[in-house]
Amino acid sequence: MNTIQVTLKDGSVREYPYASSYQDIAASISRGLAKSALAAKVDGKVVDLHAKLTNDAKVEFLTFEDEGGRDALRHSASHIMAQAVKRLFGDVKVGIGPSIANGFYYDFDTAHTFTPDDLTKIQAEMEKIIKEDLPIERREVTREEAVKLFADQDEIYKVELISGLPDDVVISLYQQGEFVDLCAGPHVPSTGRVKVVKLQNLAGAYWRGDEKRKMLQRIYGTSFEKKADLDAYLTMLEEAAKRDHRKLGRELDLFSMQEEGPGFPFFHPKGMIIRNELEAFWRKLHIKYGYQEIKTPIILHQKLWHQSGHWDHYRENMYFTNIDGEGYAVKPMNCPGGILVYRNNHHSYRDLPLRTAELGLVHRHELHGALHGLMRVRSFTQDDAHIFMLPSQIKQEIMKVIELFDTVYSVFGLTYHAELSTKPEKAMGSDEMWELATNALQDALESKNMPYKINEGDGAFYGPKIDFHLKDSIGRTWQCGTIQLDMQMPERFELNYIGEDGQKHRPVMIHRVAYGSMERFIGILIEHFAGAFPVWLAPVQVKLLPITDRQAAYANELAAMMRDADIRVEVDERNEKIGYKIREGQMEKVPYMLIIGDKEMESKTVAVRKRGQGDIGTQPVEQFLAGISEEISNKTI
C-alpha cells in the first residue's frame, strides 16, 4: 500500500504516503496547525503526533483547546516533574503520574520529606528540562524487557504495575533524555511543547488508593500553553479559596464536621434554613411536574441488595448490620425502595408514566482521605425520582426531566452542559438493551437541540446516563443532575403493568436527580454565591439596627410585622456603635440592613442598606416590605 486516505474533521479527504507521521500530516495542512497540535485523534483514539499512519482513518488534530490535547500536555508535564525530582533527589522511586482535571500529579516514595521550598526547586528544574526541548519518544517492549529495565532501577512500583497488566496489553515506555517511564501515553512530541508549569501543593496518597499500602508523597501541579492563561487560572484559584464552603460554613455558622462523625455533616440552624428552602422549592416544582413524593426505609434486608445487583457491583461502598440474626444493609441508593413501592400495587398502562420522588438519606463508605466538606461525605440526601413508563413514553419523559432541570438550575443562575455516558465494562444486561437505552437518551438530547459529549464506558452498571455539569460564577464545573435510563431493574424485580391487550408487560424506568446530593448542592451554592445568598435563600434576610436603645421597641415592632410576612429578620439591640453593627452585618452577608434612628421612628420609615450597594436611601416601611416580598416570591438572584 503506497498511499493512505485520511478523512479530516471538516470531511475533506487527503492522500498521504504509508507510514507518514501525524506531525507531518499536520504540517502539510498548515504551519499554524503543526505548531498548535499536541496530539491526534485517530478513529476516536488519541495518539502521539509521532505515531505513523498505517490504515485509512478519520483524523482530528487536538490542540490545547481540546480535552485530549490538554491531557497530553499535562500528562507530559507530570513526566517532566518526575524527571526533575529524580535529578534532584537520588533515592526516589516513582509511582504513577496522570493528568487530571486542570492539572496533573505524580506520586513519589522517598525518605526525603518534600517541603514548599522543594516545590520551588523542582519547578526550576522542570523549566530547565522544558528549555532542553527533549524529544519524548515511545517504544514498545516485551513484558520481560520492561520488568528487567525497572527492576534494575529498583523501581518496585513500576514492576508491580507491569505484573498486573493483562497478557494481551501492549507494554509501552516513554523516554525523554535519561528518564524512562512505563506509560500508555499519549504525550506531546517534546518537553519544549509544555511551555508553562506551576507546582501547587503536596499531599499524602496511599499506593493504589489502598489504606493498607505505603503512604507516598504526591505533588500536584498544572500546565498551560500561555502564561496569561496560567495567571488567570491561579487568580480563579485564589477566588475559589475565598469561597471555600468549609471556611464560609464556619464563618456563617451553617454546618460543621465533627471528629465523632467523619464524613457525616451536622447542619446548624442557619444551614437548615437554606436546606429547608431548597426542599420547599423542590417539592413545589415536583408537584407542578406531576410527581408524587414517597419515603422509603434507610435499612433493608440484604436479599434486596442481591436482587438489585448492588451486592455484586457496589458492596465495597456499603454499610451493613445484623437484625434478628439476619443480614441487612444501610441503603447506598434509593432506587430499590422506590421499586418496592411500585411493586406494592397493580398497574395499568393508563397509570403510566408514574413519577415518584424521594428526598432519601443514603450512606456510602468513602475513604477517609477522600472526604471533603459537603462535597464528599458518607451520608447525604439524594433528591431522587423514579419514573415508570411505557417504552413509547421514554423520549417524552426524558425531555420533561430536562425541562425540570433547566428550571432548577436557572433559578440559581447556573448554566450547564450535558454528557452522555455509555455501557461500562462491568454492567448488567445485554448489548441490545444497552443500545436501545443509549439511543433513547441520545434521541432526546438531539430533539432538545442540546450539545453534548459522549463518555464511553462511564454509565451506571444498570444503564446509560446523561450527566449535567453546572458552571458556577467563577467558571468551575460541578456534576449534579443525572438521568439514568434503566431496563435492567424492572427485569430483575419482575415489574409489570397490564397493557391495552390485557397482558403483562415490562415498564421502563428512569432514575434521576436534579440537585444530586442536597449536601453537595448546598456546598456548591455556598461557593457559587460566596456565601452571599439571594434573598429567598438567605438565613437572615433583614437585620434591623437601632442606633440607640430609644429605637429598640420600634425595631421589635417592625420585626414582628416582618415575621408575619414570612421574612426572616433579626434585631441587633447590642449597645454598640452603628458602624460596628453594620460591619458585623456585612461579615454575615445579610442582604438588607435597616438603620433606625429617631427620624425613621417618627416618620415610620427605614434607612436601607443593600448588600453590595450600600446605602440606597430611606423608604416607607410598607414600600420596603413590598419590594423584598417581591424579591423573595420571584427568587431574584
Side-chain angles (χ1 to χ4, degrees):
M1 184 184 293
N2 295 323
T3 60
I4 292 176
Q5 287 194 334
V6 169
T7 304
L8 299 174
K9 188 178 180 181
D10 63 2
S12 63
V13 178
R14 298 191 182 201
E15 288 192 345
Y16 291 94
Y18 179 81
S20 296
S21 74
Y22 295 102
Q23 183 75 62
D24 292 338
I25 296 171
S28 76
I29 296 170
S30 77
R31 185 181 300 174
L33 181 60
K35 187 177 179 182
S36 63
L38 298 171
K41 185 183 283 188
V42 182
D43 290 333
K45 181 182 178 183
V46 182
V47 302
D48 303 319
L49 291 175
H50 286 323
K52 305 294 185 182
L53 182 67
T54 57
N55 295 291
D56 292 349
K58 292 181 179 179
V59 176
E60 178 183 347
F61 290 98
L62 305 177
T63 70
F64 193 75
E65 298 302 312
D66 304 296
E67 183 179 357
R70 288 193 298 275
D71 285 346
L73 181 122
R74 287 168 174 163
H75 193 177
S76 302
S78 78
H79 280 218
I80 293 171
M81 178 169 70
Q83 184 178 13
V85 170
K86 296 272 284 184
R87 283 185 179 183
L88 294 170
F89 304 93
D91 68 339
V92 177
K93 297 178 180 64
V94 295
I96 58 171
S99 65
I100 55 175
N102 299 317
F104 58 87
Y105 69 78
Y106 217 114
D107 292 338
F108 302 100
D109 182 0
T110 172
H112 177 80
T113 301
F114 293 128
T115 67
D117 287 342
D118 290 327
L119 296 192
T120 303
K121 296 173 188 173
I122 295 166
Q123 181 168 320
E125 189 65 32
M126 289 177 70
E127 288 165 354
K128 287 182 186 176
I129 295 168
I130 290 168
K131 284 182 181 176
E132 291 171 21
D133 196 20
L134 302 171
I136 302 178
E137 298 172 319
R138 174 189 172 100
R139 71 177 190 271
E140 295 177 359
V141 296
T142 66
R143 185 178 299 265
E144 292 73 23
E145 288 172 325
V147 168
K148 184 179 186 309
L149 173 70
F150 290 110
D152 288 347
Q153 297 177 5
D154 197 27
E155 290 289 3
I156 56 174
Y157 300 106
K158 298 297 180 182
V159 172
E160 180 181 329
L161 289 171
I162 294 166
S163 67
L165 293 173
D167 293 338
D168 60 347
V169 167
V170 174
I171 296 175
S172 57
L173 309 178
Y174 279 83
Q175 181 161 2
Q176 58 206 45
E178 79 285 2
F179 180 72
V180 182
D181 205 352
L182 173 73
C183 186
H187 288 278
V188 296
S190 69
T191 60
R193 297 296 301 274
V194 173
K195 306 297 184 190
V196 184
V197 293
K198 173 68 176 177
L199 298 189
Q200 295 169 284
N201 57 285
L202 298 159
Y206 292 108
W207 171 237
R208 307 191 88 166
D210 185 345
E211 290 175 303
K212 297 176 182 177
R213 304 295 298 274
K214 187 169 185 178
M215 174 75 78
L216 306 183
Q217 296 182 73
R218 177 172 293 178
I219 301 177
Y220 285 96
T222 191
S223 180
F224 288 82
E225 281 194 310
K226 300 173 184 174
K227 187 176 184 302
D229 291 338
L230 172 64
D231 291 343
Y233 175 69
L234 296 177
T235 299
M236 184 275 286
L237 290 183
E238 289 176 11
E239 181 63 27
K242 296 176 191 173
R243 293 166 177 260
D244 190 316
H245 74 284
R246 296 167 298 179
K247 171 178 172 286
L248 290 171
R250 287 191 302 272
E251 292 174 357
L252 301 176
D253 196 24
L254 303 177
F255 72 93
S256 61
M257 309 301 292
Q258 309 284 349
E259 63 181 24
E260 292 81 358
F264 302 98
F266 291 71
F267 277 88
H268 299 192
K270 288 182 178 178
M272 281 304 298
I273 289 171
I274 296 169
R275 187 183 183 108
N276 288 336
E277 286 292 339
L278 290 173
E279 289 189 8
F281 169 56
W282 181 90
R283 285 192 169 95
K284 186 174 181 180
L285 189 63
H286 280 70
I287 290 169
K288 178 181 175 182
Y289 275 83
Y291 289 80
Q292 302 173 67
E293 188 172 1
I294 62 171
K295 197 73 170 174
T296 63
I298 292 175
I299 299 174
L300 292 163
H301 199 283
Q302 71 179 37
K303 69 181 181 183
L304 175 73
W305 305 106
H306 279 285
Q307 188 174 5
S308 69
H310 288 88
W311 194 268
D312 294 326
H313 296 271
Y314 207 75
R315 183 170 41 181
E316 67 275 11
N317 296 101
M318 296 170 66
Y319 296 109
F320 303 93
T321 189
N322 194 279
I323 302 173
D324 297 334
E326 296 193 30
Y328 284 75
V330 181
K331 67 177 178 181
M333 297 178 187
N334 297 304
C335 35
I339 286 169
L340 294 183
V341 171
Y342 177 89
R343 204 174 65 180
N344 195 60
N345 295 311
H346 297 292
H347 298 282
S348 158
Y349 71 94
R350 291 189 179 91
D351 302 327
L352 306 183
L354 178 64
R355 308 180 189 98
T356 59
E358 175 177 14
L359 291 166
L361 179 63
V362 299
H363 290 73
R364 299 179 185 177
H365 180 64
E366 298 281 357
L367 294 176
H368 190 277
L371 301 175
H372 180 77
L374 296 177
M375 303 302 194
R376 197 74 176 266
V377 292
R378 288 173 170 162
S379 72
F380 55 95
T381 299
Q382 281 192 310
D383 64 315
D384 255 322
H386 299 101
I387 304 171
F388 303 89
M389 60 199 162
L390 311 176
S392 62
Q393 295 169 332
I394 291 174
K395 179 178 174 181
Q396 178 185 359
E397 286 304 304
I398 293 171
M399 291 174 71
K400 282 186 177 178
V401 172
I402 293 172
E403 287 173 18
L404 185 149
F405 283 11
D406 192 60
T407 301
V408 171
Y409 302 144
S410 63
V411 162
F412 304 101
L414 295 161
T415 57
Y416 61 85
H417 74 270
E419 298 187 5
L420 173 63
S421 298
T422 61
K423 184 180 181 182
E425 187 176 332
K426 194 177 179 181
M428 299 191 308
S430 67
D431 288 342
E432 292 77 17
M433 291 183 77
W434 273 86
E435 185 177 3
L436 182 65
T438 303
N439 289 343
L441 291 177
Q442 205 161 0
D443 188 27
L445 284 169
E446 289 173 358
S447 294
K448 293 289 289 183
N449 293 316
M450 283 184 65
Y452 63 93
K453 65 174 283 191
I454 295 177
N455 293 326
E456 295 288 351
D458 204 31
F461 67 84
Y462 48 79
K465 61 177 181 171
I466 303 170
D467 289 326
F468 290 76
H469 294 257
L470 310 184
K471 189 172 185 178
D472 71 13
S473 57
I474 59 172
R476 298 171 300 176
T477 56
W478 307 88
Q479 194 272 307
C480 288
T482 298
I483 304 172
Q484 296 171 346
L485 188 57
D486 183 3
M487 297 178 178
Q488 317 298 333
M489 291 284 186
E491 193 72 33
R492 290 177 80 95
F493 282 90
E494 298 182 353
L495 302 185
N496 57 64
Y497 65 90
I498 304 301
E500 289 185 78
D501 57 2
Q503 301 301 309
K504 289 183 178 180
H505 298 272
R506 196 75 75 210
V508 179
M509 186 176 176
I510 284 176
H511 310 247
R512 50 112 296 211
V513 290
Y515 292 146
S517 152
M518 183 68 74
E519 287 73 8
R520 186 166 180 268
F521 196 73
I522 289 171
I524 291 168
L525 291 183
I526 292 171
E527 299 198 4
H528 175 59
F529 292 117
F533 297 101
V535 180
W536 73 277
L537 268 184
V540 178
Q541 296 166 324
V542 178
K543 254 204 166 175
L544 298 172
L545 309 181
I547 294 174
T548 69
D549 289 344
R550 287 194 305 275
Q551 300 92 31
Y554 176 59
N556 280 295
E557 283 178 29
L558 290 181
M561 184 189 307
M562 290 181 185
R563 290 187 188 107
D564 286 342
D566 293 327
I567 295 168
R568 295 185 290 273
V569 60
E570 287 183 355
V571 181
D572 188 346
E573 297 184 64
R574 293 176 299 167
N575 186 23
E576 299 284 357
K577 292 182 178 179
I578 193 65
Y580 179 83
K581 292 182 180 182
I582 290 171
R583 283 193 297 276
E584 288 269 292
Q586 288 171 334
M587 292 292 290
E588 294 169 14
K589 303 182 186 292
V590 177
Y592 286 100
M593 287 181 278
L594 307 184
I595 317 301
I596 303 171
D598 289 339
K599 178 181 173 185
E600 286 77 23
M601 184 170 62
E602 290 167 8
S603 61
K604 303 297 183 187
T605 60
V606 286
V608 183
R609 290 187 64 89
K610 187 172 184 178
R611 184 181 61 205
Q613 295 183 27
D615 185 359
I616 61 171
T618 300
Q619 296 178 12
V621 174
E622 293 77 10
Q623 180 183 334
F624 174 77
L625 286 175
I628 192 173
S629 296
E630 185 177 0
E631 270 193 76
I632 294 168
S633 175
N634 294 338
K635 294 182 169 53
T636 304
I637 297 176

